[in-house]
Amino acid sequence: MDGSSPVLLDGDEWQAYFRGFKRSAFRLEVHQTYTMPAEAQTVRDFLAGASRPEGFNASWHRTIRGHAAAGRTMTRAKIVRRPLTPYSRYLFEWCIPGNVAAGEDYQIVDLMDQPNLGLPDQDFWLFDEATVVHLNYRPDGTQINRELIQNPDISKYLAWRDLALESAVPFSAYRT
């Protein structure tokens, strides 16, 4: 498939990966700011000092709980650089606690004490240790696309996953 155009995922085709994985879904999250249209209002509310809305992210939490109940794991390694960006503060206060409560294994990799880990500067999801999807962003955190990687070097992604998790602390421990 060399020379072919990239396989970009959107809508239901993208959501199908979250419905269909059999064992595990891992995300490496490297950016410090994400500018997602669906989150714009809640980020503004958070920064204005509002309280987290009742039922915030409920549909995502149902997805996490369903996978956890079926014995499938969802793990995320969030790269953190200090001082935290306003968006990272939003994640830490409004988003991550609910994900963890629903059953996601959320790990924090703080680069303050380990700046040269050798992790990529690329967000990706790794499904069932076999399928890799790059999440591509502009410098301001706006998503460009989601790209299914054809014939990925899985050993490279597994090594990055393992390195991130070995260098991480659980979200609950990081906060204290």
Side-chain angles (χ1 to χ4, degrees):
M1 292 183 65
D2 289 333
S4 65
S5 58
V7 177
L8 303 181
L9 302 172
D10 209 0
D12 192 62
E13 187 180 23
W14 168 236
Q15 293 304 318
Y17 284 88
F18 291 97
R19 290 191 302 271
F21 73 88
K22 304 293 185 230
R23 294 175 309 283
S24 64
F26 170 81
R27 164 113 185 240
L28 182 67
E29 198 168 276
V30 303
H31 292 277
Q32 303 306 295
T33 299
Y34 295 92
T35 308
M36 305 298 286
E39 290 180 333
Q41 186 60 52
T42 56
V43 171
R44 278 194 299 274
D45 291 348
F46 167 77
L47 294 174
S51 297
R52 183 175 53 222
E54 191 65 36
F56 181 73
N57 275 352
S59 64
W60 181 242
H61 298 157
R62 280 191 298 277
T63 297
I64 295 169
R65 282 193 298 274
H67 287 304
R72 294 182 291 270
T73 60
M74 293 184 77
T75 306
R76 198 177 309 227
K78 167 77 178 136
I79 305 295
V80 170
R81 292 181 176 88
R82 287 183 271 160
L84 294 180
T85 62
Y87 186 86
S88 288
R89 291 193 343 263
Y90 161 75
L91 283 181
F92 277 49
E93 296 296 322
W94 278 26
C95 301
I96 299 173
N99 291 7
V100 170
E104 185 174 10
D105 178 10
Y106 219 110
Q107 301 285 321
I108 304 297
V109 180
D110 191 326
L111 295 183
M112 187 70 98
D113 301 320
Q114 47 190 359
N116 300 310
L117 275 179
L119 291 170
D121 195 25
Q122 172 68 57
D123 279 55
F124 65 85
W125 277 99
L126 173 63
F127 297 99
D128 293 327
E129 300 186 340
T131 302
V132 175
V133 178
H134 281 187
L135 297 108
N136 299 312
Y137 296 91
R138 293 184 182 90
D140 73 351
T142 303
Q143 191 171 72
I144 299 167
N145 59 34
R146 291 176 290 264
E147 181 182 355
L148 179 64
I149 302 304
Q150 302 293 316
N151 306 310
D153 177 354
I154 288 297
S155 63
K156 181 173 68 173
Y157 290 92
L158 292 172
W160 284 332
R161 178 202 61 193
D162 294 347
L163 177 61
L165 294 175
E166 287 162 10
S167 308
V169 296
F171 175 70
S172 57
Y174 184 77
R175 294 193 52 156
T176 53

